[in-house]
Amino acid sequence: MKFSQLFSKTLREAPSDETAINAQFLIRGGFISKVMAGVYEYMPLGLRVLNKVNNIIREELNKVGGQELFMSVMQNKETWSATGRWDSAKEVMYQFKDAASKEYGLGFTHEEPLTATAKHFISSYKDLPKAVYQIQTKFRNEPRAKSGLLRGREFLMKDLYSFHADQGDLDQYYEKVAEAYDNIFSRAGVKAIRTFASGGLFSKYSDEFQVVADIGEDIIYVNEQENKAVNKEVYNDEVLTDLGWDKNSLTEKKSVEVGNIFKLGTKFSEPLGLTFMDSSGNNKPVIMASYGIGPGRLMGTVVEVSHDSKGIIWPESIAPFKVHLVSLDKNKEADEVYTQLQSKGIEVLYDDRDDKAPGEKFADADLIGCPIRIVVSKKSLEEGSVEIKKRSETQAGLHKIDNFLSALN
Ligand code: ATP
Ligand code: MG
C-alpha cells in the first residue's frame, strides 16, 4: 500500500475530547474515525488490524469445533420477553417502535435469539454437543463511553455459545475454550489473566480474561507469577479460603476485561423451551455456556499496553503491515525495495510521499507502529544499503540493498 494513496491521514494532535491513549493514537494514526461518543468507524488501516484479530479468533475457535454463523441485529420483543430481559435490560438495550408501533430492539448479546433459533436444529441427544459463534456488531447504551475502543455503544463482539446434554460435557468444553482464549490473547500480543469473577445463577464463578492496564475499569487481585487473579467483585476471605489462595501473594491492579466465559446452565433453554430427548426418551432442557471477546476492545487494549510517547508498537501478529518503508530524497531504489517486498508477500506500507519532510515521515512511522521500518535515502544508498530499525528498538542498522530481506526476521 502506498501512503500517498491511503484514504486516511495522520494528525499531529489528538482531538481534545479524547482522553484514552488508544483513541488518541488510533485517531491520530488514521486507524479509526469518531462519529460520536462510543461510536467509531474503522478506516482501512484500522480494519486491517481488526481483521487480523478476528482471524486469530476464528482460527482458535474453529480448532475447538466452533462453527461461525451470523445472526441479526434486529431483535423481536417476544423472544426477549420470554426470559424477562426485554424489561430488565431496558437500560442497556436500544429499543424502539416502527411506524406501525411494533417494538424492536438491537442485539446487545445473543443468548435469547440463538436459543430460539437452536430449537429448529436441536431436539435429540444426537444433536449435541454443538458450538457456534459470530463476530458481529452489538449495541449497548453504555453510560460511560469515554475509553475509545474499550467501551463502545456500537462495538464488535465475538460471541460463542455451546450446547450440551449434561454438565460434565459442558465443563470439559468450557476448559477447552479457556485454552483457546489463552491462545487467542497471547497470539494477539497481550497477557490476559484468567480471573475468577462472579458466577451468577448456574456456577459459583465465571472466568474473565483480564489485562492489567491503568485505563481498566475493573480491579483484580492478581498473582502475576502464577498467572491467576480474582475480581474485586467476589474478593473476600471466604473466596480466598475456597480457592486456597494466600492474600499476601496477591496485588491489587486495574485491568481491562478482554474476554469472559460463562456457564449458563438452563437459564435460557428453560424459558425459551430448548429441550432435547435423551437416550432413554426423557425430555430435558439443553445445558448452555456463552463466551465473549471484544475484538475492538482487544485492539484498543493492545494499544494501551504497547506504545511509547511517539505512537503504537504493534505486535507483528496484528500489525496493519509488517514493514513501513520510507523513501527519502526521491530515489528510484525505494520503488524496487517495495516491489521486492511485495513479491515476497511481505505486507508493506510504502511512504512514497514527496511533499513530506523526513521528520514527518519518521513521526508517522512511529505513530502507526509497524514492527519494522526500512529507510531508503541518499545517505543509505551511498553505502549501497537500506536502513532497518525495529519499532520496539532505538538502534537502526545498515543492510546491503541486495540482501536486505534476510534482515527482516
Ligand atoms: P464490561 O463489564 O466491561 O461492561 P461485560 O461484562 O458487559 O463487560 P460481556 O457482556 O461479557 O461484557 O461481553 C463480552 C465481551 O465483549 C467483553 O469481555 C468485552 O471484551 C466486550 N465488550 C463488552 N462491552 C463492550 C463495549 N461496550 N465496548 C467494547 N467491547 C465490549
Ligand atoms: Mg458491560
Side-chain angles (χ1 to χ4, degrees):
M1 178 80 217
K2 289 187 174 169
F3 209 132
S4 60
Q5 308 296 309
L6 204 59
F7 180 67
S8 56
K9 285 185 179 157
T10 55
L11 299 171
R12 281 298 140 249
E13 302 289 334
S16 57
D17 59 338
E18 291 287 6
T19 50
I21 286 171
N22 75 88
Q24 291 180 351
F25 281 141
L26 290 169
I27 291 172
R28 282 187 51 207
F31 291 87
I32 60 174
S33 172
K34 185 177 192 168
V35 180
M36 58 184 109
V39 182
Y40 296 90
E41 300 164 326
Y42 288 82
M43 298 299 102
L45 265 188
L47 189 60
R48 290 180 71 92
V49 176
L50 188 67
N51 283 338
K52 288 185 183 187
V53 171
N54 288 342
N55 285 335
I56 290 174
I57 293 174
R58 287 191 174 101
E59 282 174 23
E60 296 298 332
L61 294 185
N62 293 348
K63 273 192 219 162
V64 295
Q67 301 176 46
E68 186 168 3
L69 49 61
F70 195 74
M71 301 180 66
S72 75
V73 173
M74 277 279 272
Q75 300 291 316
N76 266 327
K77 178 180 177 181
E78 293 70 33
T79 311
W80 290 80
S81 295
T83 60
R85 278 216 283 189
W86 180 263
D87 291 323
S88 68
K90 257 199 159 68
E91 283 186 0
V92 63
M93 188 180 205
Y94 288 100
Q95 300 178 344
F96 53 94
K97 288 188 181 137
D98 70 5
S101 286
K102 192 169 159 49
E103 290 183 281
Y104 299 92
L106 301 180
F108 65 98
T109 178
H110 276 85
E111 282 84 4
E112 280 86 346
L114 182 62
T115 307
T117 300
K119 285 167 73 177
H120 303 313
F121 309 115
I122 294 175
S123 58
S124 152
Y125 70 96
K126 292 178 190 157
D127 302 324
L128 296 170
K130 288 273 156 50
V132 290
Y133 70 94
Q134 61 175 341
I135 298 176
Q136 222 237 28
T137 304
K138 302 279 192 262
F139 291 85
R140 290 186 183 181
N141 193 355
E142 298 275 5
R144 289 162 294 136
K146 282 182 296 197
S147 312
L149 291 188
L150 303 193
R151 188 168 295 286
R153 294 193 291 152
E154 172 175 340
F155 63 97
L156 216 54
M157 193 196 287
K158 183 289 299 168
D159 40 335
L160 166 74
Y161 304 87
S162 66
F163 301 91
H164 307 267
D166 58 66
Q167 189 68 34
D169 192 56
L170 177 143
D171 289 346
Q172 259 184 353
Y173 190 68
Y174 186 88
E175 287 308 314
K176 268 190 155 167
V177 176
E179 268 176 50
Y181 270 39
D182 283 337
N183 296 339
I184 289 165
F185 296 126
S186 65
R187 284 182 63 188
V190 294
K191 183 171 178 315
I193 301 164
R194 188 169 168 178
T195 302
F196 285 97
S198 70
L201 293 176
F202 284 87
S203 63
K204 204 157 186 182
Y205 304 109
S206 70
D207 291 278
E208 294 171 346
F209 290 76
Q210 297 275 2
V211 175
V212 170
D214 283 337
I215 193 174
E217 294 178 22
D218 284 26
I219 296 192
I220 60 171
Y221 292 87
V222 55
N223 181 333
E224 289 201 61
Q225 225 144 33
E226 293 180 26
N227 207 30
K228 60 188 193 187
V230 50
N231 195 308
K232 188 174 184 176
E233 294 167 1
V234 294
Y235 179 79
N236 58 44
D237 288 338
E238 199 183 312
V239 167
L240 289 182
T241 313
D242 189 24
L243 298 173
W245 292 8
D246 175 8
K247 207 173 202 157
N248 300 316
S249 68
L250 303 172
T251 321
E252 186 183 291
K253 291 272 163 76
K254 285 186 178 172
S255 62
V256 179
E257 178 204 301
V258 286
N260 185 337
I261 63 181
F262 219 94
K263 293 178 186 176
L264 303 171
T266 57
K267 184 175 175 183
F268 295 91
S269 54
E270 275 192 61
L272 285 153
L274 174 63
T275 60
F276 71 101
M277 191 81 82
D278 74 7
S279 52
S280 10
N282 299 316
N283 228 20
K284 291 180 173 165
V286 172
I287 296 176
M288 293 171 55
S290 70
Y291 315 79
I293 291 180
R297 183 182 284 187
L298 180 53
M299 174 173 163
T301 303
V302 170
V303 176
E304 292 289 336
V305 299
S306 185
H307 66 268
D308 61 15
S309 61
K310 296 172 179 161
I312 304 167
I313 304 174
W314 292 111
E316 188 175 328
S317 58
I318 63 167
F321 297 90
K322 175 169 176 165
V323 171
H324 192 122
L325 172 63
V326 176
S327 172
L328 304 180
D329 319 313
K330 296 191 185 166
N331 60 79
K332 283 194 302 289
E333 287 83 348
D335 278 354
E336 287 159 25
V337 169
Y338 180 52
T339 312
Q340 253 193 75
L341 286 165
Q342 284 191 310
S343 71
K344 292 285 173 204
I346 296 171
E347 294 176 324
V348 49
L349 178 60
Y350 175 24
D351 195 342
D352 59 331
R353 298 172 299 176
D354 48 22
D355 57 344
K356 296 286 173 199
E360 282 179 89
K361 291 189 169 189
F362 291 143
D364 281 344
D366 284 338
L367 176 61
I368 291 170
C370 300
I372 296 171
R373 188 186 77 188
I374 302 181
V375 180
V376 185
S377 64
K378 206 163 121 196
K379 205 172 113 205
S380 76
L381 290 169
E382 275 164 12
E383 310 278 328
S385 296
V386 301
E387 187 201 88
I388 299 182
K389 187 184 96 63
K390 287 199 174 140
R391 176 65 182 86
S392 56
E393 293 171 5
T394 46
Q395 203 63 31
L398 285 177
H399 296 266
K400 291 292 172 206
I401 197 162
D402 344 350
N403 75 340
F404 75 95
L405 284 170
S406 63
L408 291 190
N409 298 310

